[in-house]
Amino acid sequence: MSRIPSFSSGGGRTVALLVLLALLAGTVVLSLRFGAAELSFGDVVRALFAYDESSYEQNVVRTLRLPRTLLGLAAGAALAVAGAAMQAVTRNPLASPAILGVNAGAAFGVVIAVSAFGLTRPMSYLWFSFIGGAAASLLVYVIGSQGSGGASPAKLALAGVIVASLLASWTTGILLFDQQSLDVVRFWLVGSLAGRSSGVLAVAAPFQAVAVVLLVSSSSQLNVISIGDERARSLGMNTGRVRGAVLAMVVVAAGATVAATGPIGFVGLAVPHIVRSITGPDYRAITVGSLLVGPIVLIGADVLGRLVLRPTELQVGVVTALIGAPFLIGLARRRGAISL
Amino acid sequence: MNQEARRSTPRARYYHVDLAGLSFRVSRRKLLFAAVLFAVLLVTAGLALLPGDLDLGIGDVATALAGGGEQVVRFIVVELRLPRVLAAVLAGALLAASGSIFQTLVRNPLASPDIIGVTAGASAAAVFWITTGGDRALLAPVALVGALVAAALVYLLSRRAHVTETRLVLVGIGINAMLTAVVTLLVVRGNINDVSRAYQWLAGSLYGSSREDVRLLGLSAIVLLPLAGVLLPAIRPLRLGDEHARSLGVRVEAVRLAYLAVGCAMSAVAVALTGPIGFVALMVPHFARAIAGSTSFGLLVITALLGGLLLVVTDLVGQHLLPVTLPVGLLTAAVGAPYFLVLLHRRRVS
């Protein structure tokens, strides 16, 4: 396959990569440093490299801030890369993993766990959420593959909308009659990195890591399939199989993330657009860019959410939307049209 | 029927209609289909007046509608059941038609009035009103204002020299995300009893539809549906791209704004009065296209009829066929989904 130029030179690409890595490192440090408890950078450094168990400050870093930051790292990367892959295989700028019914399925799983089994802690309903999301996506894929021509993007999208609206209405239906569950579930439905034990990350991270690595390493295939099924097929690609495999990885990445954090909107949708506006249409650059920009955005939003209403905080799902949206709007206005 | 047959006998397949200087062509198949749909809708709406706490016969209902019979029966039929059924028909028709308008305009099968922020705007305003203890009687006007403000915001922010579909969609996504975040925030921070009430509104319901509601919905339908039909011939060239349309003498910006405004007004009124009833605006246009083909006034009529029918049937199911009564918004997807599967199997969805 011929190389598609994305930046003006290979050197430009390296610089961009270094800048993003530096930004990411900076965001991570900020996330360890700022929050309800007052800490110094010294506490952060000592907690990481010379851990003293008797220090309250260092305990905050180790037991609260670090797991939360790592969760943000994993979630941001998984959501953004899954979003980029989703937009490639569906060739739809509106596509995000939510269109496959992942979030709606996960929410339904959580509602079942809370209302039927009386579970109340994120770790205890993690699997319900993951399985709910995966089952919903499988259903979407099966429905979207009916009829002639297999799973076309348009059919998948429509099937996704149907399944998602079905599940969403069941979720709302249960919550309408069960105020107690509503009181638990509403806090899950915001999407937050707070209050998750490190056990949550330990379960979700392996799934997220495998899916993200596979998606990033298949970015050449994403390039081919994003030019259209006809042309991709004429280049010898089995588009049905590639699309199915990519969608499966998207579901694993997004499903594990939503199970761990609740539905965090906007990152999967907006980050690929933001990256694309810089890199151009080459998915090899877009996936790597999303891998880095996703966590920067998510952790950055989380830090901001901790600072604005101190000592209480704004959930990250709310912040990503409130901050990310004006940014996307500005981008849309400045660049004329963001397109695929 | 194939293309050849259609071309060789054009007169047999189309009727030409002249209406106050406006002339258009109606395909015979669509006309027939619309007539059948209208009849089915009338019968279903009539049947929907029969069941309830007091089951009535067809005779009772007919007498009550004519202004006779027992006063209690007349009250139940004319004041309670009729407004609800009419609200279902009209809200369904408005939502479906506005969905069709947005899908034509944005050229994206996932487009719906939600894109321009109508639903999110109405929801944010309504949930704010409910969780801050606002006067219940003003809920619908507040939601309507929210819907229109959000739509205006999306339109104005996507304007820059001129509005492109992509920019409209992206700005819409942005505004939607912000307003949805506001709803989430209100839901998380609110008192659980208020949040419960907000959830009821968010489910989308026809419960308590009044004569005033019906009057507003009816007025909107009577004004906006023909307006959408009148604008249709001007919209069609936009499919060829803005440049091409302009070279054909179409005033692209003005036409697009007018069409957008009509679609917005339709869905804003419906959402403000019933809450966000999902599925109808997004899916009914697909059903209609699968049955009745390409964009035309006939298709718009069929879409509206189909939307009305779906909502009446769904509300009937939600009120009477289940062990618990459910708001209509929770069931539109369940009632509509099987039909979508049938269409997929008949290879009608592309």
Side-chain angles (χ1 to χ4, degrees):
Chain A
M1 216 188 101
S2 67
R3 291 190 81 75
I4 306 164
S6 53
F7 290 104
S8 48
S9 68
R13 217 170 302 171
T14 315
V15 170
L17 210 59
L18 288 175
V19 168
L20 285 180
L21 279 172
L23 269 175
L24 182 57
T27 331
V28 166
V29 171
L30 290 180
S31 169
L32 294 173
R33 159 83 170 73
F34 290 105
E38 292 282 354
L39 307 180
S40 68
F41 283 112
D43 294 324
V44 173
V45 174
R46 277 192 295 279
L48 291 181
F49 302 109
Y51 184 42
D52 173 10
E53 278 183 44
S54 62
S55 155
Y56 167 75
E57 283 80 11
Q58 296 185 27
N59 263 319
V60 168
V61 174
R62 276 276 177 140
T63 58
L64 296 177
R65 304 263 172 92
L66 191 61
R68 182 174 186 164
T69 307
L70 290 176
L71 189 61
L73 207 63
L79 287 175
V81 172
M86 202 53 207
Q87 290 170 9
V89 292
T90 58
R91 286 194 303 282
N92 192 322
L94 295 182
S96 71
I99 279 182
L100 287 176
V102 178
N103 289 352
F108 187 62
V110 168
V111 167
I112 293 290
V114 173
S115 131
F117 296 91
L119 306 177
T120 51
R121 291 182 43 247
M123 186 63 200
S124 57
Y125 48 70
L126 181 72
W127 286 104
F128 279 87
S129 158
F130 194 14
I131 292 168
S137 324
L138 190 65
L139 188 63
V140 168
Y141 192 78
V142 169
I143 294 176
S145 315
Q146 302 292 312
S148 60
S152 74
K155 276 197 293 183
L156 272 180
L158 291 175
V161 167
I162 300 245
V163 171
S165 44
L166 260 180
L167 288 170
S169 56
W170 292 345
T171 303
T172 315
I174 294 173
L175 293 181
L176 275 183
F177 292 100
D178 185 354
Q179 203 183 68
Q180 238 176 340
S181 297
L182 174 60
D183 208 7
V184 175
V185 173
R186 64 176 170 155
F187 293 102
W188 182 85
L189 283 172
V190 219
S192 168
L193 299 174
R196 268 61 177 171
S197 62
S198 46
V200 169
L201 181 67
V203 175
F207 289 102
Q208 292 167 317
V210 169
V212 164
V213 166
L214 285 174
L215 284 174
V216 172
S217 60
S218 59
S219 51
S220 306
Q221 272 95 319
L222 294 181
N223 271 340
V224 176
I225 202 165
S226 69
I227 60 174
D229 277 26
E230 295 272 314
R231 281 194 281 174
R233 244 178 260 131
S234 74
L235 289 172
M237 173 179 275
N238 182 341
T239 51
R241 190 183 294 168
V242 170
R243 179 169 290 123
V246 169
L247 289 178
M249 287 305 109
V250 166
V251 168
V252 172
T257 307
V258 73
T261 64
I264 295 176
F266 216 72
V267 175
L269 192 65
V271 168
H273 280 296
I274 293 168
V275 173
R276 192 180 289 113
S277 73
I278 305 166
T279 62
D282 185 352
Y283 273 99
R284 289 171 304 180
I286 293 174
T287 48
V288 174
S290 300
L291 181 70
L292 296 171
V293 175
I296 294 173
V297 169
L298 191 60
I299 299 175
D302 191 38
V303 173
L304 210 63
R306 286 180 236 165
L307 294 182
V308 283
L309 289 181
R310 249 161 104 168
T312 68
E313 54 179 71
L314 213 51
Q315 285 80 1
V316 70
V318 173
V319 182
T320 49
L322 291 181
I323 303 294
F327 192 70
L328 181 72
I329 292 170
L331 209 63
R333 283 171 60 78
R334 193 166 53 85
R335 292 265 163 180
I338 302 174
S339 57
L340 283 179
Chain B
M1 86 187 86
N2 60 29
Q3 291 270 313
E4 288 305 315
R6 197 177 299 174
R7 220 170 288 149
S8 62
T9 54
R11 276 189 198 86
R13 307 219 173 269
Y14 292 99
Y15 294 116
H16 287 268
V17 181
D18 272 294
L19 249 176
L22 197 78
S23 119
F24 50 93
R25 211 165 58 148
V26 183
S27 97
R28 198 159 152 172
R29 184 161 160 262
K30 279 181 193 164
L31 199 67
L32 189 69
F33 203 86
V36 171
L37 255 183
F38 188 67
V40 173
L41 182 59
L42 270 186
V43 172
T44 319
L47 290 177
L49 295 172
L50 305 182
D53 288 337
L54 181 66
D55 281 325
L56 300 172
I58 294 176
D60 301 329
V61 170
T63 323
L65 286 177
E70 275 181 74
Q71 203 186 349
V72 186
V73 175
R74 210 164 59 224
F75 178 76
I76 290 174
V77 171
V78 178
E79 299 294 331
L80 298 182
R81 293 188 190 168
L82 190 61
R84 182 165 183 154
V85 170
L86 288 178
V89 172
L90 293 166
L94 286 171
L95 284 174
S98 79
S100 159
I101 285 176
F102 278 92
Q103 286 173 13
T104 309
L105 207 58
V106 182
R107 286 175 288 196
N108 189 316
L110 292 185
S112 74
D114 296 356
I115 272 190
I116 196 135
V118 170
T119 312
S123 301
V127 172
F128 174 77
W129 197 248
I130 293 169
T131 52
T132 52
D135 182 1
R136 194 79 191 170
L138 290 176
L139 186 57
V142 166
L144 186 62
V145 170
L148 295 176
V149 167
L153 209 59
V154 172
Y155 181 78
L156 292 175
L157 285 173
S158 355
R159 246 182 105 86
R160 200 189 146 87
H162 56 91
V163 172
T164 68
E165 286 97 2
T166 327
R167 203 185 298 144
L168 190 72
V169 167
L170 286 169
V171 172
I173 290 174
I175 296 289
N176 265 312
M178 292 179 79
L179 291 168
T180 310
V182 169
V183 171
T184 313
L185 199 61
L186 291 167
V187 163
V188 171
R189 303 220 145 212
N191 165 302
I192 185 67
N193 292 317
D194 293 334
V195 170
S196 253
R197 267 195 296 282
Y199 250 70
Q200 271 161 29
W201 189 87
L202 287 172
S205 164
L206 294 162
Y207 176 78
S209 300
S210 66
R211 274 180 176 221
E212 288 70 45
D213 295 352
V214 172
R215 205 169 294 142
L216 184 57
L217 285 166
L219 202 66
S220 311
I222 288 170
V223 174
L224 296 171
L225 283 171
L227 208 55
V230 170
L231 286 170
L232 206 56
I235 279 295
R236 224 172 285 154
L238 294 189
R239 269 186 298 184
L240 307 169
D242 285 8
E243 290 304 316
H244 204 100
R246 236 173 250 128
S247 74
L248 287 172
V250 177
R251 290 169 56 206
V252 172
E253 275 314 299
V255 165
R256 185 177 283 141
L257 174 59
Y259 209 45
L260 259 180
V262 170
C264 269
M266 283 178 175
S267 56
V269 170
V271 172
L273 290 177
T274 63
I277 296 177
F279 194 80
V280 180
L282 193 59
M283 293 313 301
V284 170
H286 287 280
F287 297 165
R289 255 196 308 278
I291 298 164
S294 63
T295 311
S296 65
F297 187 58
L299 179 64
L300 194 68
V301 171
I302 289 172
T303 308
L305 289 170
L306 219 49
L309 185 62
L310 175 64
L311 225 49
V312 173
V313 171
T314 308
D315 198 34
L316 207 54
V317 172
Q319 280 191 92
H320 305 299
L321 295 185
L322 297 173
V324 287
T325 51
L326 285 178
V328 68
L330 297 187
L331 291 168
T332 43
V335 172
Y339 188 69
F340 177 71
L341 289 180
V342 172
L343 286 181
L344 272 182
H345 271 289
R346 290 175 54 198
R347 301 175 181 190
R348 278 270 168 76
V349 176
S350 56

